């Protein structure tokens, strides 16, 4: 495996792994460990299939084209509008999620030193500090993100390695919230978990870039997408094991979606002060790296849409458009971490399931040849039904 393939695998894995991983134990605690792991594997399978479908579309449309151009070439202006609207909705929603998560962790740190910080002030400080990196430019963000992501993965390995021996297999295998949650409440928790797990495998936005980077080599690209998407699956499984297997589903469910409470509880399991600091640092890096990656993409997309000039005034205008909408939502809807993360699944389904299916069907009618993912129309039909199910689950919980 050459360095370009290894680098591409890292990009795919890195795009998926991030702040969303922190939410997985909180979202799936009520399901029981085994059902939660099975849900992970099912969503992973859907993600692999749709990524290979997007690879097929990209190779047939032309190596070097971005997602917007590919959509326009296959579906026209209407398709581009749907794709663009979905992309903006997804990035705005994720930016809001990470503002909420980051500010809540900042609040908890102030509490530890005896300072009570207002949530709205925490949101503003988090935005000013880490949003400020976005205004500096992509070159600096890329350098910072590489260091932060590498550190995050190293910390994840250390945390998992030290906490795995603490996992209680009986607790994990019998893990459930039976007697605490049941009936329609448990059904709603299942429905709420599905969109959040799906969002955690959203690495598809980088496919067009990787196709260009590897010069359209179909077999190498197929290998990259399969291996790159499997790494997050392994990380998520290990993360669920060390959280639910040490704390128990009932305990994690009792946190009611609070990231600071989850981090504090895991620190309580650790038997050394250094490991406790590593757990805290890992949680912070997971949120910050995701925040920087998402907001950088949103900033660039807004700049492209508004045709903003690359000067001080133009970048300031783009920064305000990028951050003001999610900032206002985070300020006045501070407890919406899970709700908004679940909502992000709706535009993601449109982008990586519905639109690729329509584009692939159109291309296959033209008999263009080249790489084609297996399964035919039956597989696309199953993927479409699963996508509709994810949206229905989110709407059922939200409404």
């Amino acid at each position: 495996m050459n360095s370009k393939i290894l680098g591409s695998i890292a990009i795919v894995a890195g795009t998926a792994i991030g702040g969303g991983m922190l939410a997985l134990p909180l979202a799936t605690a009520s399901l029981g460990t085994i059902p939660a792991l099975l849900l992970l594997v099912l969503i992973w399978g859907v993600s692999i299939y749709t990524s290979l479908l997007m690879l097929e579309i990209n190779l047939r449309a032309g190596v070097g084209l971005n997602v917007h151009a590919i959509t326009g070439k296959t579906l026209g202006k209407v398709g581009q509008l749907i794709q663009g609207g979905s992309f903006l909705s997804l990035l705005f929603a994720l930016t809001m999620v990470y503002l909420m998560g980051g500010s809540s962790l900042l609040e908890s740190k102030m509490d530890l030193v005896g300072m009570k910080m207002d949530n709205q002030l925490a949101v503003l400080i988090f935005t000013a500090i880490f949003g400020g990196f976005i205004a500096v430019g992509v070159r600096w963000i890329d350098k910072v993100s590489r260091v932060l992501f590498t550190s995050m993965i190293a910390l994840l390995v250390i945390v998992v390695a030290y906490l795995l021996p603490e996992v209680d297999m009986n607790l994990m295998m019998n893990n459930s919230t039976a007697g605490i949650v049941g009936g329609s409440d448990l059904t709603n928790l299942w429905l709420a978990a599905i969109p959040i797990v799906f969002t955690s495998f959203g690495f598809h936005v980088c496919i067009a870039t990787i196709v260009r980077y590897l010069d359209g080599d179909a077999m190498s690209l197929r290998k990259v997408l399969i291996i790159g998407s499997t790494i997050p699956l392994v990380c998520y499984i290990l993360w669920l094991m060390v959280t639910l297997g040490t704390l128990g589903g009932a305990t994690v469910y009792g946190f009611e979606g609070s990231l600071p409470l989850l981090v504090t509880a895991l620190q309580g399991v650790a038997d050394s002060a250094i490991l406790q600091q590593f757990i805290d640092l890992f949680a912070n890096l997971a949120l910050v790296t995701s925040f920087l990656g998402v907001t950088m993409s949103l900033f660039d997309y807004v700049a492209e849409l508004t045709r903003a000039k690359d000067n001080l005034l133009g970048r300031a205008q783009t920064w305000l458009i990028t951050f003001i909408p999610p900032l206002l939502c985070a300020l006045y809807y501070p407890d919406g971490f899970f709700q908004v993360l679940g909502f992000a699944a709706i535009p993601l389904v449109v982008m990586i399931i519905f639109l690729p299916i329509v584009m692939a069907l159109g291309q296959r009618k033209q008999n263009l040849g080249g790489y084609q993912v297996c399964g035919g129309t039956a597989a696309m039909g199953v993927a479409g039904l699963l996508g509709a199910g994810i949206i229905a689950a989110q709407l059922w919980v939200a409404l």
Side-chain angles (χ1 to χ4, degrees), residues 7-291:
S8 299
I9 290 171
I11 290 172
V12 171
T15 303
I17 298 172
M21 183 171 70
L22 298 177
L24 287 176
L26 297 167
T28 60
S30 59
L31 312 184
T33 305
I34 301 304
L37 295 180
L38 291 175
L39 178 60
L40 275 177
V41 173
L42 175 63
I43 298 296
W44 165 73
V46 175
S47 297
I48 282 187
Y49 174 76
T50 54
S51 69
L52 295 176
L53 193 62
M54 291 180 71
L55 171 61
E56 172 190 325
I57 295 161
N58 202 311
L59 292 174
R60 286 177 171 170
V63 176
L65 298 179
N66 59 31
V67 176
H68 192 66
I70 293 169
T71 306
K73 188 174 180 179
T74 53
L75 299 180
K77 290 291 183 183
V78 174
Q80 282 185 319
L81 285 173
I82 295 172
Q83 186 273 333
S86 300
F87 191 53
L88 277 176
S89 299
L90 173 66
L91 294 182
F92 274 129
L94 291 178
T95 300
M96 180 179 166
V97 164
Y98 297 137
L99 286 177
M100 292 174 183
S103 62
S104 68
L105 288 178
L106 182 59
E107 277 186 87
S108 68
K109 283 179 175 50
M110 293 298 102
D111 287 340
L112 289 176
V113 296
M115 293 176 61
K116 183 67 177 176
M117 179 176 285
D118 179 72
N119 176 263
Q120 293 187 335
L121 179 60
V123 171
L124 291 171
I125 291 174
F126 185 87
T127 305
I129 294 174
F130 296 104
F133 281 107
I134 305 303
V136 174
V138 175
R139 183 179 302 176
W140 285 101
I141 298 169
D142 179 52
K143 292 179 180 178
V144 170
S145 294
R146 288 187 187 188
V147 173
L148 293 180
F149 179 74
T150 303
S151 303
M152 181 191 74
I153 294 299
L155 287 170
L156 175 62
V157 171
I158 294 171
V159 169
V160 168
Y162 275 90
L163 289 183
L164 269 179
E166 304 297 326
V167 170
D168 184 338
M169 292 303 295
N170 289 326
L171 178 65
M172 189 175 73
M173 297 303 292
N174 299 314
N175 192 13
S176 72
T177 51
I180 301 175
V181 182
S184 61
D185 288 339
L186 183 58
T187 301
N188 287 337
L189 289 168
W190 260 100
L191 294 175
I194 292 170
I196 292 173
V197 173
F198 179 70
T199 305
S200 300
F201 284 97
F203 58 87
H204 302 65
V205 292
C206 69
I207 291 175
T209 303
I210 292 172
V211 169
R212 182 169 59 250
Y213 182 57
L214 294 180
D215 302 316
D217 183 346
M219 291 302 101
S220 294
L221 286 161
R222 183 176 181 274
K223 184 187 300 181
V224 163
L225 292 175
I226 292 174
I227 297 175
S229 61
T230 303
I231 292 173
L233 174 67
V234 173
C235 291
Y236 295 163
I237 289 173
L238 291 173
W239 180 240
L240 284 183
M241 287 177 63
V242 299
T243 50
L244 301 182
T246 57
L247 301 174
T251 300
V252 176
Y253 173 72
F255 296 154
E256 297 182 344
S258 171
L259 286 178
L261 288 179
L262 174 64
V263 173
T264 302
L266 285 173
Q267 288 178 308
V269 175
D271 57 1
S272 74
I274 294 177
L275 185 58
Q276 290 173 354
Q277 292 301 315
F278 281 173
I279 292 170
D280 181 61
L281 187 56
F282 163 71
N284 287 300
L285 288 179
L287 276 169
V288 171
T289 52
S290 295
F291 176 79

